[in-house]
């Protein structure tokens, strides 16, 4: 058992703490914001004991699966007066695939690469619709929604969950029947570290053809980029469900740019079919992209997972088992923000994005468009907590990334992302302005550090993430965890009517 508990006095504490930090912005956080101990359970009963023991000793808990939280909420706290235990699920990552029932049980500490590897080892025609980056943890990812290249065909990862096992604040293990449909609804996207510790998910596997087609097309602002993006915005949510085209905008930082700002647009596509029919669709709907047969690569779904994640050609899919160590962004410091676009951005908005790219140095900023439409538009906006469905053309995400410890550099990058977010206000969804829960952004608002935030105060950020579903989430929270034991800076607080005037 002593191997599983790491205190600041243990030699293992720093390495265990830092191993799953995926935003090095928080590597050097002061000791007062770090856990007073880390437990790395190997059994579910040890998770139960950790929860009960923390409660008994007046400690908070934080739960970590893959450690990708953009604000580090799975392993640091902004309330030094609230000591906490970190339950790190790194040892709970078993995956059991059942091909006949097209389902899998996956323990929450597994990362997506491990899940994808297990599925592909069992079947060449099943997949799971989740994120692109294989090092993302299943625990946090599904707790906040989870999108990837199969989004338009099958919806979010959280739309494809059949059952779960949750350790609640009483230390009980609850499955779907035990927790009831309201809690089961809330944990599928209503935010992590709020209703309990999810120890495993039962996920629905989805059919994919033996061969799918991937493509990457690059355009720069030296060509007809604006025209291509304008067309993209008009068609991308209306394309067949089998086709997903994500777009990433960045700036070229190379000698070739010779001091000029050249904008690069990378179109990453995945089609659930063969090249020939893809080219027919593209010719009809999006000829401006000029996709050619040579630009397309047919492959299996699992090869497409490597392709979309940017692995070199011919990488074995066994490499996915090393996903925890191979995140390409692992060493960049990150800040993310998100919005939803409901009307195509006018040219002046695109030009404003281009101009903003001039404001920061290397570690170039990124803007990414994640198309919705397809199945996403046909799933009700109350089906799970994720509400941004019909009416959204795409989610737009802004990423600042930088290296090193220089605070001035950090300040410039944060200034860039805040300025761009302000600039985008008239062009994106409003009332409330939408935000993606998995692109956690503490600038939207934070809870009171000692857990006394009212539902009314939390609505400010809560409705940006969850819109009308926020109230139901707060009611579920009041039922499953009325003392607000599981909480962080942006967890949904319990909905309580109090005589003090709090709602
Ligand atoms: C490099 C990078 C790439 C990304 N790519 C994508 C992508 O393609 N698609 C996408 O949708 N998102 C993506 N994300 C966002 C990612 O989905 C979220 O950050 C997600 O919350 C990460 O889950 P995690 O388990 O890795 O993180 P963690 O930091 O471990 O957890 C995130 C939150 O969930 C809580 N939590 C974790 N595990 C549990 C559990 N078992 N039970 C209850 N609560 C839990 C944590 O306490 C924390 O609040 C990316 C993020 C990064 C940094």
């Amino acid at each position: 058992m002593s191997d599983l508990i790491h205190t600041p006095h243990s030699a293992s504490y720093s390495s265990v703490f830092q191993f799953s930090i995926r935003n090095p912005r928080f590597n050097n956080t002061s000791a007062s914001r770090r856990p007073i101990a880390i437990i790395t359970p190997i059994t579910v009963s040890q998770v139960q004991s950790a929860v009960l023991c923390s409660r008994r000793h007046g400690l908070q808990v934080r739960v970590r699966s893959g450690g990708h939280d953009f604000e580090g909420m799975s392993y640091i706290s902004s309330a030094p007066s609230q000591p906490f235990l970190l339950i790190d699920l790194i040892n709970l990552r078993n995956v059991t695939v059942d091909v006949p029932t097209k389902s899998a049980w996956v323990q929450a500490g597994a990362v997506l690469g491990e899940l994808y590897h297990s599925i592909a080892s069992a079947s060449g025609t099943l997949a799971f619709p989740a994120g692109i980056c294989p090092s993302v943890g299943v625990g946090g990812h599904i707790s906040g929604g989870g999108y990837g290249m199969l989004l338009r065909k099958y919806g979010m990862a959280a739309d494809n969950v059949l059952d779960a096992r949750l350790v609640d604040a009483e230390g009980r293990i609850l499955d779907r029947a035990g927790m009831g449909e309201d809690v089961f609804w809330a944990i599928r996207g209503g935010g992590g570290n709020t209703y309990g510790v999810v120890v495993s998910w039962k996920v629905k596997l989805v059919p994919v053809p033996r061969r799918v087609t991937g493509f990457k097309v690059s355009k720069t602002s030296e060509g007809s980029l604006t025209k291509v993006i304008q067309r993209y915005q008009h068609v991308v949510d209306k394309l067949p469900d089998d086709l997903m085209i994500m777009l990433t905008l960045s700036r070229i930082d190379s000698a070739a740019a010779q001091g000029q700002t050249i904008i690069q647009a990378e179109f990453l596509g995945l089609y659930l079919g063969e090249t020939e029919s893809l080219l027919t669709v593209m010719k009809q709907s999006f000829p401006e992209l000029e996709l050619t047969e040579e630009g397309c690569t047919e492959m299996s779904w699992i090869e497409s997972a490597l392709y979309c994640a940017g692995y070199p050609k011919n990488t074995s899919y066994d490499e996915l088992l090393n996903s925890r160590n191979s995140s390409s962004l692992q060493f960049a410091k990150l800040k993310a923000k998100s919005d939803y676009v409901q009307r195509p951005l006018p040219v002046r908005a695109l030009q404003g994005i281009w101009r903003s790219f001039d404001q920061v140095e290397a570690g170039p900023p990124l803007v990414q468009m994640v198309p919705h439409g397809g199945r996403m538009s046909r799933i009700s906006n109350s089906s799970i907590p994720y509400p941004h469905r019909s009416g959204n053309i795409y989610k737009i995400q802004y990423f600042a990334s930088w290296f090193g410890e220089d605070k001035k550099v950090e300040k410039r990058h944060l200034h860039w992302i805040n300025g761009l977010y302000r600039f985008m206000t008239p062009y994106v969804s409003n009332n409330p302005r939408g935000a993606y829960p998995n692109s956690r952004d503490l600038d939207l608002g934070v809870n009171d550090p000692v857990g006394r935030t009212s539902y009314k105060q939390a609505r400010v950020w809560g409705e940006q993430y969850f819109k009308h579903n926020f109230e139901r989430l707060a009611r579920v929270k009041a039922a499953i965890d009325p003392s607000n034991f599981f909480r962080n800076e942006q967890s949904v607080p319990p909905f309580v009517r109090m005589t003090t005037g709090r709602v």
Side-chain angles (χ1 to χ4, degrees):
M1 186 74 180
S2 59
D3 288 353
L4 309 179
I5 298 175
H6 317 265
T7 69
H9 306 292
S10 336
S12 55
Y13 178 88
S14 287
S15 60
V16 173
F17 178 68
Q18 291 196 346
F19 185 74
S20 295
I21 293 184
R22 287 295 175 265
N23 191 349
R25 243 177 112 188
F26 306 111
N27 265 352
N28 299 322
T29 313
S30 66
S32 63
R33 295 182 61 195
R34 292 180 178 209
I36 61 154
I38 306 172
I39 172 158
T40 48
I42 51 175
T43 64
V44 173
S45 66
Q46 289 165 352
V47 176
Q48 295 175 281
S49 306
V51 168
L52 290 173
C53 179
S54 301
R55 280 197 84 168
R56 194 169 311 127
H57 294 283
L59 296 174
Q60 290 295 293
V61 297
R62 298 273 160 138
V63 190
R64 180 162 73 178
S65 290
H68 283 67
D69 192 289
F70 280 104
E71 301 280 12
M73 288 298 95
S74 52
Y75 50 88
I76 56 162
S77 151
S78 61
S81 63
Q82 299 271 292
F84 71 98
L85 176 77
L86 169 54
I87 303 178
D88 188 328
L89 299 178
I90 191 162
N91 291 324
L92 290 176
R93 14 199 259 259
N94 196 36
V95 185
T96 314
V97 175
D98 188 44
V99 174
T101 59
K102 298 192 176 68
S103 64
W105 273 104
V106 51
Q107 286 189 306
V111 296
L112 295 177
E114 292 164 334
L115 172 61
Y116 295 164
H117 186 276
S118 297
I119 297 170
S121 301
S123 164
T125 53
L126 290 175
F128 183 64
I132 296 158
C133 177
S135 57
V136 165
V138 165
H141 187 62
I142 299 182
S143 296
Y147 73 83
M149 296 305 283
L150 299 179
L151 180 77
R152 302 192 64 255
K153 178 74 174 180
Y154 293 114
M156 315 280 290
D159 289 319
N160 291 280
V161 173
L162 301 167
D163 203 338
R165 293 204 181 98
L166 178 81
V167 173
D168 75 354
E170 306 294 327
R172 298 173 298 183
I173 303 176
L174 304 172
D175 65 3
R176 178 174 182 168
M179 72 182 87
E181 286 303 304
D182 271 344
V183 177
F184 183 61
W185 173 83
I187 61 173
R188 287 174 294 156
N193 211 64
T194 306
Y195 314 96
V197 184
V198 175
V199 285
S200 49
W201 302 103
K202 183 180 184 186
V203 296
K204 181 165 96 191
L205 305 182
V206 298
V208 283
R210 277 204 184 276
R211 306 299 284 167
V212 301
T213 307
F215 61 89
K216 290 174 185 170
V217 177
S218 243
K219 301 267 177 202
T220 69
S221 50
E222 290 176 313
S224 52
L225 183 58
T226 311
K227 195 171 126 209
V228 179
I229 297 181
Q230 286 300 71
R231 180 71 182 165
Y232 173 83
Q233 298 190 88
H234 281 91
V235 298
V236 78
D237 60 321
K238 300 171 197 77
L239 293 169
D241 297 7
D242 287 328
L243 179 55
M244 170 74 160
I245 310 178
M246 276 184 38
L247 169 56
T248 304
L249 301 171
S250 61
R251 184 189 65 200
I252 295 184
D253 282 328
S254 75
Q258 291 180 335
Q260 259 186 295
T261 299
I262 300 179
I263 304 301
Q264 173 152 294
E266 292 271 356
F267 295 84
L268 170 67
L270 182 70
Y271 180 63
L272 300 179
E274 291 174 359
T275 305
E276 201 183 329
S277 61
L278 167 63
L279 290 174
T280 308
V281 173
M282 291 297 282
K283 207 167 158 194
Q284 277 167 5
S285 310
F286 194 9
E288 293 79 357
L289 194 64
E290 298 168 320
L291 183 65
T292 60
E293 190 175 347
E294 298 70 52
C296 296
T297 312
E298 286 188 10
M299 57 192 117
S300 62
W301 167 74
I302 195 66
E303 286 165 343
S304 81
L306 294 157
Y307 176 85
C308 294
Y311 283 82
K313 205 173 170 193
N314 297 328
T315 301
S316 158
Y317 84 105
D318 286 341
E319 199 48 45
L320 291 171
L321 296 176
N322 296 323
S323 305
R324 278 184 182 279
N325 309 321
S326 64
S327 164
S328 58
L329 283 174
Q330 190 165 342
F331 301 110
K333 298 184 173 180
L334 297 166
K335 170 73 192 176
K337 288 184 174 290
S338 59
D339 267 315
Y340 287 84
V341 170
Q342 299 177 330
R343 279 169 294 133
L345 297 180
V347 173
R348 64 179 179 284
L350 294 174
Q351 287 171 342
I353 297 175
W354 304 166
R355 274 197 307 276
S356 82
F357 282 173
D358 267 343
Q359 292 167 9
V360 269
E361 64 273 41
L366 295 181
V367 170
Q368 193 171 64
M369 298 166 181
V370 180
H372 280 38
R375 175 125 179 79
M376 283 297 278
S377 293
R378 299 190 295 275
I379 297 176
S380 136
N381 58 12
S382 308
S383 158
I384 61 167
Y386 183 86
H388 312 286
R389 306 278 184 170
S390 174
N392 292 292
I393 305 175
Y394 54 85
K395 175 193 1 262
I396 185 165
Q397 302 191 104
Y398 322 100
F399 297 105
S401 63
W402 65 97
F403 293 86
E405 301 303 322
D406 189 338
K407 285 284 167 202
K408 283 194 203 130
V409 173
E410 170 169 327
K411 211 169 151 189
R412 272 200 295 279
H413 283 271
L414 295 179
H415 182 73
W416 168 75
I417 200 166
N418 289 330
L420 180 58
Y421 189 71
R422 266 195 312 277
F423 169 79
M424 292 300 288
T425 309
Y427 307 113
V428 294
S429 71
N430 57 37
N431 202 17
R433 184 172 182 169
Y436 174 41
N438 266 343
S439 293
R440 193 199 296 285
D441 177 9
L442 292 185
D443 299 344
L444 302 180
V446 288
N447 289 331
D448 166 298
V450 290
R452 293 210 199 92
T453 302
S454 70
Y455 162 77
K456 204 168 166 185
Q457 289 161 331
R459 273 176 67 184
V460 175
W461 55 264
E463 290 189 351
Q464 288 199 246
Y465 290 134
F466 304 112
K467 292 169 92 173
H468 60 288
N469 291 327
F470 185 65
E471 181 180 327
R472 181 172 173 198
L473 287 172
R475 288 182 189 279
V476 174
K477 170 73 175 173
I480 184 82
D481 182 19
S483 71
N484 204 10
F485 171 68
F486 288 104
R487 63 174 187 265
N488 63 33
E489 285 71 358
Q490 259 185 4
S491 55
V492 176
F495 185 104
V496 274
R497 280 190 188 283
M498 296 183 69
T499 47
T500 57
R502 290 204 292 144
V503 181

